[in-house]
Amino acid sequence: MIKHDSERKIWVLEGDCFAYALGLSKTGTIVQTYFGEKLPYLSDYPEPELIAEYPYSGGSEVYQETFMGFGKATYTEPCLKATFEDGVRDLKLVFINFKISDSVLSFRMKDFFYPLEVILHYKIVPAYNLLELHSEIINSGSGNIQLEQVLSGSLYVPRDEPYRLTYLSGKWAGETQLSHTELPDTKLVLESRRGTTSHFTNPFFMLDRGGNSQEDHGEVYFGALAFSGNWKIVFEKDRLGMVKISAGTNDFDFAWNLKPGDNFVTPISVLGFVKEGFGAVSRNLHRYQREEVLPAEHRSSLRKVLYNSWEATSFDVNEDQQIHLAKIAASIGVELFVMDDGWFGARNSDRAGLGDWIVNPDKFPNDLQNLIQEVNALGMDFGLWIEPEMVNPDSDLYRTHPDWVYHFPTRDSTLIRNQLILNLARADVRQYLFESINRLLTDHNIRFIKWDMNRNFSEPGYPSAPREEQKEIWFRHAEGVYEIARKLKQAHPNVIFQSCSGGGGRVDLGILRYFDQVWTSDNTDAFDRLKIQEGFSYAYCSKIMESWVTDEVSWISSRKLTLAYRFHCAMMGNLGIGDNLLKWSPEEQQEARELIHLYKEIRHIVQDGDQYRLKSPSEGPLASVMYVGEQQEEAVVFVFLHARNFMNHLPRLRLKGLRGDWLYQIDGVEQLFSGQALMAIGIKLEFHGDFQSKVIRIRKVEAP
Ligand code: DGJ
């Protein structure tokens, strides 16, 4: 998997289908020599190539450096920018040694004068055609070193080619929208400066070579960053034909005081390459998440059908009403009952209570015990909403500890949703939060936590810290969330954690190492949702994608959709119900019961199978997604018709991912078809009217 040609000073990391090669340049730097499909012989992989020696680079020798320090005459994005105690801000890293252990190749580099070392780690994850890259910065001297920029590393895609960049942009209630642009001959940055991953851009990209790849063919380079704080991914394309991509924590307002003996470990950048188009990118990432990234405790278990009270009861929760909802939820087949916001402190609206994680005695005179017992007696698990990182000024916590929030003493703090952000760089704040949530989980039979985060950062001051450490908060906050979640998970391994941030504002490969699933969007209109879910599916798997069935007339779009359509859309991920069940007629309850029953029969395919995007909701009258079971013996296809006009005929739906020579039966159809026929000819669709939907089940049968 990791090969070394000591004579040519080449290292090659090989996955099942791709390879990444590095070499040692004449100037003593580690450079990338190859990234693409796997080649037959070690001798095929090139040696370091001098890209240019050109005047306006100060005569610099330009190589495809993998971890460039800011120093000498270098002008592209540095991975490391540091100031030494004497004020020198010039860094020149040279190779010291390398180490290969199992699937990890590490290079140690050092400044040729100052006591600053860097270790670059490449881990090959062969089965998913992925590489994990991160770096470690070590202060091996006796004075402080100020870091002003630290990225995980850089990589390059083959030179002199056009590329199309595909990424996920969005907004609140409109997350993960697919965006494309030709990679310009200049610099382009995807980033968040909001203190968290953000609704606006997700740390994921695909670059397809030639710009004409499709779902099933084309060379695609892709990457994602495992970090939930400020991040950036920088693309630099120059007139030498070089395309450099650098990713890591954002240097915006960032500084880190690296003390003697300390090290700074960057987030992991995940990189990959496939020859089989965008669909293969997603399936690789999906499997990687399900099998390697998600917390091990719940990786292999199927997610339960949940009910969430938010859209039904808002902040106005109480014991009787929640029990009433729980009874109907259980009767239609729900397995996990989650009470959302409003159960604690003086939380009657978003103006008060955040920070006081104590059950509100007026709403719940019997603590939560009665409610939980009832829910459990109904055969369901109980789950609870929290928003640990936040505080309302109108709360006991803020009145006691006004200094616990990010703030600048001479400036007003901006309130967003009437709340401020707790300073998780402080150990006492992290301890308070761990203890509060730990107590809740210890005292109650809670099996699910919805961890919300409803605002972005402003006035990011930490006045009580030494001046040179105040800008560390951007990194320390995200690490603080991870630390609390890690400790809670260790103490309560049975609890499933969901990441929510006003919908899908914190979905990334970093949070997914601690959180088992995510809330995708507050937009629960099933038609809008098709697009949100489609974008989401490029980077993230359906097992983590929570989706709810809500009101017949959407609060966000006023669109009216049938119960079946709303269910079918939500069944493409992790099914939840978020409507006010008290309003459902017996007929609606019965229809829901049948649909939940169907979901339970197919959820192992949806959650753990391979996903194929058959029709995009952005093109034509149909949208369709197919899930194929691991052994290809069963599949389920979701199809949605938006509208038909001018009596247009519907195209046949060509399936994917089946075994060509096997015979399959489509539920409700007598004739058997080979997988090849279903993929080459497709299935005929009967749809009438607007906003129609279908779930089609397909199973392998033995030849008669
Ligand atoms: C934002 C979330 O996205 C909603 O689902 C809900 O939990 C509210 N916060 C509660 O305040």
Side-chain angles (χ1 to χ4, degrees):
M1 280 195 298
I2 301 178
K3 296 175 179 166
H4 178 215
D5 179 339
S6 54
E7 253 174 54
R8 297 166 68 224
K9 299 200 179 72
I10 298 286
W11 295 265
V12 183
L13 298 114
E14 281 185 344
D16 287 358
C17 307
F18 93 110
Y20 186 83
L22 301 126
L24 185 60
S25 75
K26 293 211 172 68
T27 51
T29 54
I30 298 296
V31 303
Q32 180 187 311
T33 68
Y34 179 80
F35 187 17
E37 68 181 293
K38 193 158 134 182
L39 305 174
Y41 306 109
L42 188 53
S43 56
D44 286 333
Y45 295 103
E47 289 173 32
E49 184 191 357
L50 180 64
I51 309 291
E53 244 177 323
Y54 59 118
Y56 273 88
S57 284
S60 259
E61 294 174 321
V62 179
Y63 284 99
Q64 295 193 147
E65 272 189 58
T66 54
F67 195 93
M68 200 177 79
F70 169 73
K72 285 191 80 182
T74 49
Y75 302 102
T76 56
E77 194 72 20
C79 285
L80 184 59
K81 184 170 184 307
T83 304
F84 298 103
E85 271 208 317
D86 56 6
V88 168
R89 309 193 305 280
D90 189 80
L91 191 61
K92 179 80 182 106
L93 296 166
V94 288
F95 170 77
I96 302 290
N97 57 32
F98 75 97
K99 197 169 130 194
I100 297 175
S101 55
D102 299 330
S103 51
V104 181
L105 168 64
S106 307
F107 295 102
R108 183 176 283 266
M109 299 178 285
K110 191 183 170 314
D111 183 76
F112 70 97
F113 180 79
Y114 289 96
L116 184 141
E117 293 179 27
V118 173
I119 309 178
L120 248 183
H121 299 280
Y122 292 90
K123 180 179 173 199
I124 184 86
V125 200
Y128 320 104
N129 291 306
L130 293 176
L131 198 63
E132 292 180 348
L133 159 66
H134 79 279
S135 56
E136 232 177 301
I137 321 299
I138 302 160
N139 180 349
S140 48
S142 52
N144 291 343
I145 303 173
Q146 278 286 314
L147 307 181
E148 286 143 34
Q149 163 142 334
V150 198
L151 299 181
S152 308
S154 300
L155 80 144
Y156 303 79
V157 290
R159 296 168 58 205
D160 301 318
E161 301 262 6
Y163 287 94
R164 174 178 47 175
L165 171 68
T166 302
Y167 60 101
L168 300 174
S169 61
K171 59 181 181 180
W172 172 77
E175 296 85 339
T176 51
Q177 303 291 307
L178 210 54
S179 303
H180 308 278
T181 181
E182 188 186 330
L183 198 66
D185 291 327
T186 184
K187 185 171 185 171
L188 188 152
V189 181
L190 304 179
E191 67 170 0
S192 165
R193 296 178 172 198
R194 293 168 177 270
T196 182
T197 324
S198 109
H199 298 79
F200 296 83
T201 318
N202 192 271
F204 162 76
F205 71 90
M206 297 187 289
L207 277 180
D208 66 301
R209 194 173 182 174
N212 52 11
S213 295
Q214 307 260 327
E215 275 296 289
D216 302 314
H217 65 83
E219 294 183 36
V220 189
Y221 293 87
F222 60 99
L225 190 69
F227 191 54
S228 319
N230 280 357
W231 59 270
K232 77 172 184 180
I233 304 177
V234 181
F235 301 85
E236 291 167 289
K237 186 169 175 222
D238 65 18
R239 288 292 179 168
L240 300 170
M242 198 157 79
V243 182
K244 174 174 173 176
I245 305 157
S246 312
T249 49
N250 204 327
D251 56 310
F252 170 74
D253 194 45
F254 168 87
W256 191 273
N257 185 33
L258 194 68
K259 300 191 181 112
D262 274 4
N263 65 346
F264 180 92
V265 181
T266 70
I268 292 171
S269 254
V270 173
L271 310 161
F273 168 78
V274 294
K275 276 188 0 184
E276 302 83 13
F278 301 125
V281 169
S282 304
R283 284 186 293 280
N284 275 296
L285 281 170
H286 294 172
R287 260 183 275 129
Y288 167 65
Q289 287 155 26
R290 292 197 303 262
E291 294 166 16
E292 298 265 333
V293 177
L294 291 178
E297 305 85 23
H298 303 288
R299 225 180 247 169
S300 51
S301 50
L302 292 172
R303 300 292 181 264
K304 296 189 167 171
V305 177
L306 69 79
Y307 177 78
N308 179 292
S309 66
W310 174 245
E311 288 198 24
T313 54
S314 184
F315 299 98
D316 190 17
V317 293
N318 64 56
E319 189 177 299
D320 285 349
Q321 154 234 59
Q322 293 291 308
I323 290 175
H324 206 158
L325 283 168
K327 283 185 177 153
I328 306 175
S331 79
I332 59 171
V334 166
E335 299 158 306
L336 165 64
F337 183 88
V338 183
M339 180 163 63
D340 210 280
D341 203 346
W343 58 269
F344 53 92
R347 187 75 168 166
N348 296 313
S349 71
D350 61 18
R351 297 189 175 280
L354 281 178
D356 301 337
W357 301 111
I358 301 200
V359 180
N360 180 312
D362 299 328
K363 297 180 181 182
F364 296 93
N366 308 300
D367 185 65
L368 295 179
Q369 303 297 3
N370 258 17
L371 173 60
I372 296 177
Q373 273 164 21
E374 280 282 347
V375 166
N376 292 161
L378 288 163
M380 297 183 293
D381 286 346
F382 180 78
L384 198 61
W385 178 97
I386 53 174
E387 192 175 0
E389 296 148 83
M390 299 291 160
V391 65
N392 288 117
D394 185 2
S395 67
D396 291 342
L397 182 69
Y398 186 76
R399 282 182 280 273
T400 321
H401 297 289
D403 55 328
W404 274 14
V405 296
Y406 297 116
H407 69 286
F408 293 118
T410 60
R411 321 293 296 187
D412 286 342
S413 292
T414 306
L415 284 175
I416 301 178
R417 212 193 188 209
N418 304 302
Q419 61 199 54
L420 298 168
I421 307 184
L422 289 171
N423 182 345
L424 264 60
R426 292 177 66 125
D428 50 359
V429 174
R430 294 198 300 276
Q431 189 58 23
Y432 167 81
L433 292 178
F434 170 74
E435 279 167 13
S436 313
I437 306 164
N438 185 43
R439 196 174 319 114
L440 269 175
L441 295 177
T442 308
D443 294 348
H444 304 93
N445 186 20
I446 294 171
R447 290 299 188 90
F448 180 95
I449 281 290
K450 174 175 177 178
W451 179 317
D452 207 345
M453 201 263 190
N454 280 305
R455 64 158 290 176
N456 291 152
F457 282 48
S458 63
E459 298 90 22
Y462 181 4
S464 57
R467 180 86 179 267
E468 62 280 13
E469 290 171 22
Q470 292 183 3
K471 292 182 180 173
E472 294 179 6
I473 62 110
W474 298 110
F475 191 79
R476 290 195 182 276
H477 189 94
E479 289 291 319
V481 171
Y482 297 158
E483 179 195 299
I484 299 167
R486 182 169 50 234
K487 282 169 66 182
L488 288 169
K489 281 203 126 304
Q490 266 160 14
H492 307 278
N494 287 333
V495 179
I496 296 253
F497 280 71
Q498 182 216 62
S499 164
C500 170
S501 177
R506 191 155 59 189
V507 184
D508 61 79
L509 291 180
I511 210 78
L512 289 179
R513 277 155 217 269
Y514 306 97
F515 288 71
D516 308 278
Q517 62 194 60
V518 303
W519 179 221
T520 319
S521 177
D522 278 344
N523 188 340
T524 49
D525 169 288
F527 179 55
D528 278 0
R529 194 79 180 200
L530 292 180
K531 276 195 188 172
I532 294 172
Q533 295 186 174
E534 180 195 45
F536 187 97
S537 78
Y538 274 81
Y540 304 105
C541 63
S542 51
K543 185 162 199 165
I544 64 157
M545 185 183 77
E546 206 178 299
S547 198
W548 303 345
V549 175
T550 58
D551 222 348
E552 181 180 26
V553 179
S554 164
W555 67 274
I556 209 156
S557 64
S558 304
R559 188 179 287 117
K560 191 173 175 181
L561 293 168
T562 64
L563 191 65
Y565 189 102
R566 285 175 277 145
F567 257 98
H568 291 162
C569 174
M571 283 159 73
M572 293 199 291
N574 193 333
L575 174 65
I577 323 290
D579 201 3
N580 187 352
L581 296 176
L582 305 179
K583 290 194 314 196
W584 284 19
S585 66
E587 293 73 30
E588 284 172 315
Q589 289 183 26
Q590 181 53 25
E591 192 180 349
R593 194 170 292 119
E594 286 163 18
L595 286 159
I596 291 174
H597 178 76
L598 169 64
Y599 180 71
K600 287 177 183 169
E601 284 187 2
I602 58 170
R603 71 174 144 189
H604 62 287
I605 315 175
V606 172
Q607 293 185 18
D608 284 338
D610 271 337
Q611 192 190 86
Y612 293 84
R613 291 179 288 263
L614 302 184
K615 293 267 174 214
S616 167
S618 305
E619 294 160 14
L622 291 174
S624 178
V625 182
M626 176 176 183
Y627 301 80
V628 180
E630 263 184 280
Q631 310 302 326
Q632 293 168 287
E633 289 178 350
E634 47 180 352
V636 54
V637 185
F638 293 86
V639 197
F640 301 84
L641 169 80
H642 324 318
R644 287 176 72 162
N645 17 26
F646 309 121
M647 299 181 335
N648 61 340
H649 82 285
L650 294 174
R652 278 182 171 265
L653 188 68
R654 290 175 64 182
L655 307 188
K656 294 183 182 173
L658 300 174
R659 277 279 296 265
D661 54 340
W662 283 356
L663 275 178
Y664 290 92
Q665 175 123 50
I666 302 171
D667 261 16
V669 177
E670 211 172 306
Q671 193 184 341
L672 304 181
F673 298 95
S674 70
Q676 201 60 46
L678 292 172
M679 295 190 287
I681 304 171
I683 52 179
K684 201 164 180 311
L685 296 168
E686 288 294 338
F687 271 127
H688 301 282
D690 297 342
F691 293 116
Q692 302 294 308
S693 61
K694 273 191 202 325
V695 179
I696 303 167
R697 292 181 72 184
I698 295 162
R699 278 173 270 215
K700 181 194 171 199
V701 287
E702 295 309 327

